[in-house]
Each structure stands twice: as structure tokens, then as C-alpha cells.
Amino acid sequence: INGDYFDHVMGWWQKKDDPHFLFVKYEDLQKDFPSSMKRIAAFLERDLTDEDLDRVFTSCSMESMRKTLAGSEIPQRKSIVRKGVVGDWKNHFSAEESEKFDQKYRERMAGSGLEFDFE
């Protein structure tokens, strides 16, 4: 459950060309939720009406997730939803931690073709 982040991400990224997997980044969902949901629906070979899209958007809202997780009997689930903002990591990392992560990111992701938007 608490393994290496880069091993986890790169393990899934290696499957990016496998037609049975769809690689979706949180940042892309935040940037353009409707297009991301339509891409997921197409991958699942499902139709997605505007009404469906609205329902998914509401169900995936931070407010909805907080409400759902607040009722969990598992204490850790109550605190996993933060702000839902790309770049909020800056409020949780010190300058030193940020620099260490950036260095490790450059080392581990070099040449992979996978890029994340951190802002």
C-alpha cells in the first residue's frame, strides 16, 4: 500500500499501448472533465449522455466524496480528500522535500515520455 510512487506509476505507464488499459491522469480530469469522461466512456464502449455526464460530475465532486468518505468506518478514508486542486502539493512539501522530489522525478521519469502538470 505504501510502495515506491515511481515504480507504481511506471508499472502502469508500461501498459499505455495495451488496448485493455486506459491511462488517465488526475491533472487531465481537472483540466477538462467532460472530455476526460467521454474518453473513459469510449474506452469502456459506453454511451455517455449529457445527463450522465452531469451525474458523474456531481458524484465525483469534492463535496460528494467528502460526504461519502465521512461516513466510512475506516478512519484513514476520512482524511484522503484534500482540496482537489492541481498543485496543492506545494502546501504540504517543504522547499527541501520539493527539491528532492523534483530530482528523483527527473531521474526516474527521464526518457519515459510520461509527463505530469504539477501546477
Side-chain angles (χ1 to χ4, degrees):
I1 179 170
N2 292 316
D4 183 89
Y5 167 80
F6 297 100
D7 288 344
H8 173 77
V9 170
M10 293 308 295
W12 289 107
W13 183 243
Q14 290 174 5
K15 298 184 178 295
K16 70 183 181 308
D17 297 321
D18 184 319
H20 300 100
F21 290 89
L22 178 66
F23 197 89
V24 179
K25 295 186 286 184
Y26 178 77
E27 296 82 2
D28 294 338
L29 288 166
Q30 288 293 93
K31 198 181 309 181
D32 188 352
F33 188 83
S35 292
S36 294
M37 285 297 105
K38 289 175 183 174
R39 184 172 160 243
I40 293 168
F43 174 77
L44 297 172
E45 299 178 349
R46 297 294 211 189
D47 293 327
L48 185 68
T49 66
D50 288 341
E51 183 180 282
D52 293 333
L53 186 59
D54 288 342
R55 199 169 45 253
V56 171
F57 185 77
T58 299
S59 296
C60 292
S61 71
M62 297 305 293
E63 180 182 333
S64 177
M65 287 192 290
R66 279 191 191 99
K67 184 177 177 181
T68 299
L69 293 171
S72 176
E73 293 183 20
I74 302 170
Q76 296 88 339
R77 290 186 123 188
K78 296 177 183 183
S79 63
I80 62 173
V81 178
R82 291 193 326 237
K83 293 181 184 176
V85 176
V86 173
D88 185 47
W89 61 271
K90 292 182 280 188
N91 297 316
H92 300 272
F93 277 29
S94 68
E96 181 181 349
E97 289 169 330
S98 180
E99 182 54 41
K100 285 181 180 179
F101 180 84
D102 289 349
Q103 178 61 35
K104 191 167 185 176
Y105 178 86
R106 286 188 293 272
E107 291 169 5
R108 297 287 302 274
M109 304 298 277
S112 69
L114 176 59
E115 296 183 11
F116 289 94
D117 299 321
F118 292 111
E119 304 281 338

